[in-house]
Amino acid sequence: MSGIMEHFGEIADPRIDRKKLHKLHDIIFITIAAVICGADDWEDIEDWGNLKVDWLKTKLELPNGIPSHDTFNRVFSLIDPLVMQQSFTSWVQSIAKITEGQVVSLDGKRLCNSGEHGEKSIIHMVSAWSNANNMVLAQQKINDKSNEITAIPALLDVLDITGCMITIDAMGCQKAIAEKIIEKEADYILAVKDNQQFCMMISKKPLAHLKKY
């Protein structure tokens, strides 16, 4: 966790001054540490904080102790999600060892428990999975009126994949996506459907060089 807040320093505190009983730095640090340790919801995060309060005091200020689960919930609901995503991605990539030739797999999945019993909206995400690090490097939510074809380039924009091998299923077999990967100086393997003409397995070369298989 050393140096984690260097990547979250650009997040503006959305609260008014009179309601700042806890440091934003402390709230973010506790949340990330708790989730890494298996916390699934705001109550779990509060419970973890109380269990680890002695250790947390060696890292954080905690002027008013551990925040309540309502405080965690309220603060994160106010934080700009795009800024949070950028900060989190920056941190994850700083601790992941991206080496030339590493495989990074892009795949779309339905978020677990979303749309449960028809009570929640179904959420689809595109994730970048690092095989070497056994971790997700970044995620991009698929907008309700969009699909993976538009989400994948947005995800690639936030990743440093120079020299990596990008794999995507047939949904990503698009010239625009291939061009984006080339622009990011990476190689790629794109799956192909029966009704598509090309299986793209080339990088750093003009699209005119695509070979039919």
Side-chain angles (χ1 to χ4, degrees):
M1 299 293 288
S2 177
I4 182 174
M5 294 313 300
E6 295 177 6
H7 301 277
F8 292 86
E10 297 300 318
I11 296 178
D13 195 328
R15 301 168 294 170
I16 58 178
D17 289 339
R18 64 183 174 83
K19 292 189 175 182
K20 294 180 181 179
L21 297 179
H22 304 278
K23 301 286 187 179
L24 181 64
H25 171 286
D26 295 354
I27 292 171
I28 294 174
F29 186 98
I30 294 170
T31 300
I32 294 174
V35 170
I36 289 174
C37 292
D40 290 327
D41 54 35
W42 304 119
E43 287 82 2
D44 285 351
I45 292 171
E46 178 186 359
D47 291 343
W48 183 89
N50 286 319
L51 286 172
K52 300 294 183 180
V53 64
D54 290 339
W55 175 75
L56 288 169
K57 285 180 178 178
T58 67
K59 307 288 184 181
L60 309 174
E61 298 181 51
L62 300 178
N64 291 291
I66 300 299
S68 69
H69 61 273
D70 286 333
T71 296
F72 285 112
N73 188 358
R74 184 174 62 255
V75 171
F76 274 92
S77 69
L78 295 173
I79 290 176
D80 184 333
L82 179 59
V83 176
M84 186 67 190
Q85 179 192 34
Q86 292 170 340
S87 298
F88 187 80
T89 300
S90 171
W91 172 60
V92 169
Q93 292 193 77
S94 75
I95 61 176
K97 295 181 179 179
I98 304 294
T99 57
E100 186 170 355
Q102 175 183 320
V103 176
V104 176
S105 302
L106 272 56
D107 191 22
K109 297 292 184 183
R110 170 180 167 177
L111 192 64
C112 184
N113 296 325
S114 69
E116 193 175 57
H117 308 304
E119 298 175 356
K120 302 176 182 178
S121 298
I122 296 176
I123 299 174
H124 292 278
M125 306 285 288
V126 176
S127 300
W129 175 262
S130 167
N131 291 0
N133 293 285
N134 197 33
M135 65 187 297
V136 172
L137 299 175
Q139 291 182 314
Q140 178 70 36
K141 181 181 177 182
I142 300 175
N143 294 329
D144 294 338
K145 297 183 180 181
S146 184
N147 55 35
E148 291 182 23
I149 295 175
T150 56
I152 289 173
L155 179 60
L156 290 170
D157 279 335
V158 302
L159 290 169
D160 180 4
I161 54 173
T162 303
C164 294
M165 175 66 73
I166 309 302
T167 67
I168 314 176
D169 62 18
M171 176 61 75
C173 191
Q174 305 289 328
K175 286 188 176 181
I177 291 174
E179 289 171 344
K180 174 64 71 173
I181 296 172
I182 292 172
E183 178 184 316
K184 301 287 289 188
E185 299 184 12
D187 298 310
Y188 56 82
I189 298 177
L190 306 184
V192 63
K193 291 182 178 179
D194 292 339
N195 62 348
Q196 291 174 309
Q197 294 183 354
F198 298 101
C199 179
M200 304 181 185
M201 301 180 65
I202 304 168
S203 178
K204 302 175 186 174
K205 296 181 180 179
L207 291 180
H209 289 227
L210 292 177
K211 298 179 181 179
K212 183 183 288 189
Y213 288 85

